[in-house]
Amino acid sequence: MALSVADLDLRGVSEALGRREVTSVQATEEYLGRIAQHDRVLQSYITVMADHALARAKAADAEAERGRRRGPLHGVPIGLKDLIAVAGVRMTSGSQLYADHVATRDAFVTRRLHDAGAVILGKLAMHEWAFGRPATEGAFPTGRNPWDVRRAPSGSSSGSAVAAAAGLCAGALGSDTGGSIRGPAAMTGLVGHKPTYGLVSRSGVLPMCWSLDHVGPMTRGVWDSAALLQIIAGVDPDDTSTRGAQVQDYLGTVEAGARGLRLGVLRRFYVDVPGLHADVRAAALTAFDVLRAEGATLTDVDAPTLDLSMAAWAPFLAETYEYHARNLRERPEGYRESLRPRVYMGALFTGADYLRAQRLRERFRREVDALFERVDLLVFPGQMAPALRFEDFPTTGLATASMRYTAPWNLLGLPAVVVPCGVSGEGLPVSIQIVGRAFDDATVLRLARAYERVTDWHTRRPDPATWRL
Amino acid sequence: MTDDRHTQFDAECRAAGLTLSGRDRELLFDMWVDWLPHRDRLRAEVPAPEEEPWR
């Protein structure tokens, strides 16, 4: 096979399959071969579903032979964060407690992917219960950053980021409660999309905080994320948060360009801050110039309650504690030492703290709604700094400095995407972030694509020759 | 100061039904201390009457 799917984004794989330049079985075998070759170092998969994937790929090829192609995901190999259920397959949530847990039915998003003809390659590494720390040891290591294997890809959807960035799948799904899609996507040069809360079902997805959890795509390109979202978005009777889901034509509008879009730059809170890495700042400011040149207008805007957003986010950890309280009491040894205090922390918020947070959340919503009367989208740097070395991750705490870039947007449930916009002096990816109105994920993706199509950051690939310890 | 903080921390743990010792207690104490300035800000806020809980 002359064509290597590992060099392609999801769109490239989809188009190659459509042109019959490659079969789904060939693509699947190539990814499986790369997993076998590289994942001992990269640690991105917890469970490789080789037999399942090859059977699905064979069925997809047979259908294509008969002239039936279900859509852009037909035969495309995808990875799932290991908190998304696939019936009959182990689902660990990165936890020793669930080391032998086998899901009895597919998650809604899994079902949608199967119905679209996608091939599930395997279950991807993650931070323990979507809230632990990066780990290279133990039963469930969390993955190494393919841009520098001494660094973490951040988390918690760490394996999803590593596998998609390293070409060990064509795209992946992750989940995001305070930045767990966008953080690792930013650290690995991917597009990471946290859809509007209520657009994508979480049924069959293990929770971190029910009120803030989102499932979304992590891919090399914006079109790729639009294609995945098109399939996984929609009403699911098993997840009441999706009752009001408004699905748009993401692929149909993704090429509409930036002209005429009004962008608000959240400069005070996100750009003019001492902790922001100079390379991230410089790349983001250059990206804003590119968007202006593409016909968008940019205005500085502010939402004062951003200052309180981390204080308002943390009390939701009461939800995490509630989910784990019994297991923590009865089987504390089932949790890593580094995770236990983070979960216990949820017990120390009072009911009044939780409700105060809910009221500040409402205040924040009103402020941002007012901004969206003046602008169509909000833009700002996608992260505080490029990827950290494993040893530089704090042992405790809530990482409020870095989470300020992502967690406020979980509080509001608004669509948010990171898109690569440069590299640091050390060659590490950096990103901008775009936030839109609720259920207007299409405009978020449209601006991301407008930026992407006049830049080449998304085409850069990490070098497999560096994947050694 | 540290003793006062430990006393307050232990009281809050008891109120929450947590009985921790050793490393778990140490790590949670560090995390709780990090969180206190945020909590103070949260508790110092006085939402307006129309700022009802998010629904």
Side-chain angles (χ1 to χ4, degrees):
Chain A
M1 181 171 57
L3 179 75
S4 172
V5 292
D7 297 330
L8 304 174
D9 56 15
L10 187 151
R11 182 180 200 166
V13 175
S14 174
E15 290 175 351
L17 286 164
R19 289 192 299 263
R20 307 269 188 101
E21 292 169 1
V22 66
T23 66
S24 180
V25 167
Q26 287 171 328
T28 301
E29 284 175 341
E30 184 181 348
Y31 287 122
L32 291 171
R34 286 175 66 82
I35 294 166
Q37 185 181 359
H38 297 298
D39 214 44
R40 189 186 56 79
V41 172
L42 295 177
Q43 302 178 320
S44 65
Y45 278 82
I46 289 176
T47 303
V48 179
M49 296 160 45
D51 293 343
H52 171 108
L54 286 167
R56 290 267 175 187
K58 200 172 167 187
D61 286 340
E63 267 194 358
E65 281 292 322
R66 295 196 300 271
R68 184 181 182 214
R69 193 156 187 265
R70 300 186 187 201
L73 295 186
H74 189 104
V76 176
I78 302 292
L80 301 180
K81 185 176 183 177
D82 200 22
L83 47 58
I84 300 173
V86 179
V89 177
R90 183 169 75 139
M91 174 168 63
T92 70
S93 205
S95 164
Q96 193 64 52
L97 271 183
Y98 268 37
D100 301 315
H101 174 75
V102 175
T104 53
R105 62 181 188 136
D106 285 342
F108 176 85
V109 293
T110 305
R111 222 160 46 236
R112 283 284 184 93
L113 289 171
H114 279 154
D115 290 348
V119 172
I120 310 296
L121 269 177
K123 308 296 296 298
L124 296 162
M126 56 181 284
H127 291 196
E128 185 180 6
W129 289 109
F131 194 40
R133 292 184 70 253
T136 55
E137 308 296 333
F140 300 109
T142 54
R144 294 178 178 276
N145 195 316
W147 293 91
D148 178 349
V149 295
R150 295 163 303 173
R151 295 174 189 267
S154 186
S156 66
S157 307
S158 46
S160 302
V162 175
L168 305 190
C169 61
L173 295 187
S175 69
D176 190 319
T177 307
S180 289
I181 286 174
R182 291 161 291 155
M187 300 301 175
T188 55
L190 294 177
V191 173
H193 183 187
K194 180 194 81 62
T196 302
Y197 186 84
L199 182 60
V200 177
S201 167
R202 287 92 40 85
S203 73
V205 179
L206 293 169
M208 178 184 154
C209 296
W210 297 281
S211 304
L212 305 177
D213 292 342
H214 302 65
V215 173
M218 300 171 73
T219 58
R220 283 176 164 173
V222 175
W223 187 96
D224 308 353
S225 280
L228 278 167
L229 184 63
Q230 201 74 64
I231 296 302
I232 63 175
V235 176
D236 171 13
D238 290 335
D239 181 347
T240 54
S241 75
T242 64
R243 276 181 302 203
Q246 299 162 33
V247 182
Q248 298 167 293
D249 182 1
Y250 308 110
L251 284 173
T253 54
V254 76
E255 298 291 351
R259 186 154 305 282
L261 289 176
R262 300 167 300 166
L263 313 183
V265 180
L266 288 164
R267 187 175 297 273
R268 177 192 65 84
F269 191 74
Y270 283 129
V271 181
D272 296 338
V273 285
L276 178 62
H277 193 286
D279 296 343
V280 178
R281 178 189 283 112
L285 294 176
T286 303
F288 299 159
D289 289 340
V290 169
L291 293 171
R292 192 177 289 111
E294 286 302 298
T297 56
L298 281 83
T299 318
D300 288 352
V301 295
D302 197 12
T305 303
L306 275 167
D307 292 320
L308 291 162
S309 54
M310 286 314 302
W313 183 87
F316 288 87
L317 295 178
E319 299 181 16
T320 309
Y321 177 72
E322 198 285 329
Y323 184 79
H324 291 284
R326 184 172 176 181
N327 276 332
L328 266 175
R329 204 166 42 242
E330 295 177 356
R331 301 173 62 189
E333 71 287 351
Y335 294 79
R336 282 184 190 264
E337 181 186 86
S338 57
L339 179 61
R340 284 196 302 264
R342 293 163 71 84
V343 179
Y344 283 131
M345 187 69 200
L348 298 182
F349 300 106
T350 65
D353 289 336
Y354 187 83
L355 283 163
R356 177 67 52 82
Q358 293 280 21
R359 296 182 75 182
L360 294 179
R361 193 182 185 195
E362 176 63 14
R363 178 190 297 176
F364 184 31
R365 182 188 70 77
R366 288 170 187 231
E367 286 175 4
V368 173
D369 279 356
L371 293 182
F372 279 132
E373 289 176 10
R374 294 160 47 204
V375 300
D376 301 304
L377 296 161
L378 301 170
V379 294
F380 46 94
Q383 71 225 84
M384 178 71 105
L388 294 176
R389 290 172 185 268
F390 285 97
E391 62 269 26
D392 292 335
F393 269 82
T395 50
T396 58
L398 291 174
T400 48
S402 57
M403 283 180 66
R404 68 189 268 143
Y405 282 82
T406 49
W409 311 104
N410 293 76
L411 278 177
L412 297 193
L414 298 178
V417 67
V418 293
V419 58
C421 72
V423 292
S424 70
E426 294 176 292
L428 301 166
V430 299
S431 297
I432 53 167
Q433 187 167 183
I434 303 162
V435 171
R437 298 182 181 98
F439 295 110
D440 192 14
D441 297 63
T443 305
V444 172
L445 290 165
R446 170 186 161 192
L447 185 73
R449 175 64 187 146
Y451 175 78
E452 181 189 73
R453 70 186 183 189
V454 294
T455 56
D456 66 358
W457 303 111
H458 63 291
T459 65
R460 300 185 179 209
R461 305 280 182 256
D463 180 1
T466 66
W467 299 343
R468 57 170 67 100
L469 300 174
Chain B
M1 182 66 168
T2 307
D3 282 349
D4 287 350
R5 285 224 162 147
H6 271 112
T7 304
Q8 186 189 346
F9 170 73
D10 287 339
E12 291 193 18
C13 284
R14 271 196 308 278
L18 296 180
T19 316
L20 304 180
S21 58
R23 186 84 175 130
D24 279 354
R25 179 176 176 272
E26 234 173 81
L27 290 172
L28 181 59
F29 176 75
D30 290 346
M31 196 166 170
W32 176 80
V33 168
D34 280 351
W35 160 250
L36 282 181
H38 295 283
R39 185 173 80 174
D40 290 347
R41 295 192 67 183
L42 181 75
R43 292 183 177 177
E45 283 300 311
V46 183
E50 68 273 18
E51 289 169 347
E52 295 182 357
W54 172 283
R55 289 177 290 198

